[in-house]
Amino acid sequence: MAFEGLGERLQSTFDHMKSRGKVTDEDVKAMMREVRLALLEADVNYKVVKQFVNSVKDRATGQEVMKSLTPGQQVVKVVNEELTQLMGGEQAEIAKAAKGPTVVMMVGLQGAGKTTTSAKIANYLRKNKNRQPLMAAADVYRPAAIDQLETLGRQLNMPVFSLGTEADPVDIAKQSLAKAKEEHYDYLFIDTAGRLHVDDSLMDELQRMKEAVNPDEIMLVVDSMTGQDAVNVAESFNEQLGITGVTLTKLDGDTRGGAALSVKSVTDKPIKFAGTGEKIDAIEPFHPERMASRILG
Ligand code: GDP
């Protein structure tokens, strides 16, 4: 991560200062300069940085210095807690319908990792929560997306519903839901089409699909390598479609993960999973506090 080592940077800012009984305004100001720089360097959205710095400032100023912590450690602790909050605080679970199959619409731009992530999460739920998932291939535009999902299904020995590339995606969604109900699957993952950019025809199709199957979860898949674009994409999908959760992919890469971290505060929708590699089991529930600690280094 680009801002790994922020913790050390903050500590060393404080090492230059004499130890005092209180964290002073000056101390906090100096620390906040470091925090602001580190976050901006990490490509965190500037509005998010501003908000973040203000909340840390408010909490850190005038605090009594705890015996067990140096002032530096104390501010680092506040930064850690606020970073955790920025990413949603608690770990957020994937939706679960009260009755019948839980319908999950997987949405996002082409190449973000939708198809792979559909299979990853389905497999994760089967392995760890004993759920029986059905996957539906509704990306009829990207060449080979259907084949890709079917191949993943065969590898995992998991059923894939498909009507080929000629069918209407909304019909595929409806029919896959009928099958999921009839055959008592716990989850239905609908792999929808992406585009290179957000556009009206994509949103229109996803909107119609949403009306047709009334999903319990609309999971936006975003590539954490795409910087500020990830934030803009998340904002558009959320405004136009209404997402309920986010999966960040490619966190294993040399990512400027900061932009992706802005996703939660910009959309106010939780990050639920993190993709950490190309392999099918390279997926994990997103833990805000672990991520915060990783960022702080
Ligand atoms: P889609 O167009 O959104 O369906 O994207 P795909 O599922 O085909 O994924 C695009 C590429 O990203 C593939 O080569 C995947 O193997 C890769 N990919 C997906 N998730 C991850 C991840 O978490 N880490 C890495 N390193 N690669 C990923």
Side-chain angles (χ1 to χ4, degrees):
M1 303 280 296
F3 39 71
E4 228 155 357
L6 174 59
E8 245 168 60
R9 259 167 94 165
L10 291 180
Q11 298 275 11
S12 73
T13 311
F14 254 101
D15 288 345
H16 296 305
M17 302 170 188
K18 286 195 209 96
S19 99
R20 307 183 189 92
K22 263 193 182 161
V23 181
T24 68
D25 284 359
E26 286 309 307
D27 298 339
V28 172
K29 244 184 223 157
M31 301 281 278
M32 288 307 111
R33 261 197 301 279
E34 288 296 312
V35 174
R36 183 181 292 118
L37 272 176
L39 294 179
L40 288 172
E41 274 170 23
D43 213 11
V44 178
N45 183 287
Y46 74 94
K47 284 188 211 153
V48 176
V49 173
K50 200 167 163 201
Q51 191 190 329
F52 179 77
V53 166
N54 284 337
S55 54
V56 173
K57 228 191 239 164
D58 287 348
R59 282 193 53 196
T61 309
Q63 278 195 18
E64 295 296 325
V65 173
M66 286 178 253
K67 282 209 179 71
S68 55
L69 298 175
T70 66
Q73 286 169 334
Q74 200 163 322
V75 178
V76 169
K77 186 167 169 282
V78 174
V79 171
N80 190 326
E81 286 166 7
E82 290 293 323
L83 268 180
T84 304
Q85 284 309 313
L86 178 67
M87 292 182 284
E90 299 290 302
Q91 200 241 307
E93 298 276 339
I94 190 165
K96 175 81 188 80
K99 191 170 153 280
T102 304
V103 179
V104 184
M105 250 175 86
M106 302 293 289
V107 303
L109 294 186
Q110 194 168 310
K114 262 186 321 300
T115 306
T116 316
T117 304
S118 301
K120 279 179 171 179
I121 299 179
N123 183 51
Y124 172 87
L125 292 174
R126 187 176 64 178
K127 225 164 106 179
N128 298 287
K129 311 268 179 192
N130 201 22
R131 310 280 186 223
Q132 292 309 317
L134 173 67
M135 300 190 287
D139 183 355
V140 298
Y141 307 113
R142 177 162 70 84
I146 296 182
D147 285 351
Q148 189 187 341
L149 195 66
E150 284 177 336
T151 303
L152 287 164
R154 271 195 301 279
Q155 271 173 26
L156 294 169
N157 198 17
M158 189 179 286
V160 173
F161 181 89
S162 158
L163 295 174
T165 53
E166 300 300 316
D168 171 22
V170 178
D171 269 351
I172 298 173
K174 277 190 201 157
Q175 291 193 39
S176 66
L177 177 57
K179 181 182 165 79
K181 282 182 177 163
E182 223 169 81
E183 300 181 12
H184 304 289
Y185 285 100
D186 299 310
Y187 274 86
L188 171 64
F189 284 88
I190 305 174
D191 182 26
T192 68
R195 301 275 200 283
L196 292 176
H197 306 283
V198 175
D199 67 35
D200 290 346
S201 69
L202 169 67
M203 285 303 166
D204 177 62
E205 179 179 301
L206 294 175
Q207 195 59 256
R208 285 188 292 119
M209 199 182 273
K210 178 183 174 180
E211 279 160 26
V213 299
N214 191 21
D216 303 284
E217 182 93 74
I218 299 182
M219 180 76 82
L220 175 69
V221 180
V222 285
D223 179 343
S224 61
M225 307 277 283
T226 57
Q228 289 293 328
D229 276 350
V231 182
N232 298 333
V233 166
E235 207 167 11
S236 307
F237 272 85
N238 193 42
E239 275 168 9
Q240 296 180 50
L241 191 66
I243 60 172
T244 59
V246 178
T247 295
L248 293 181
T249 62
K250 311 185 194 182
L251 276 171
D252 51 306
D254 180 19
T255 160
R256 307 187 71 199
L261 299 185
S262 318
V263 164
K264 166 67 177 66
S265 37
V266 169
T267 61
D268 201 29
K269 300 295 159 64
I271 301 165
K272 298 193 170 179
F273 286 97
T276 55
E278 297 206 42
K279 294 220 174 80
I280 201 77
D281 56 2
I283 186 98
E284 50 193 57
F286 183 82
H287 291 284
E289 79 292 346
R290 278 190 216 160
M291 190 66 163
S293 303
R294 181 173 146 185
I295 290 165
L296 277 165

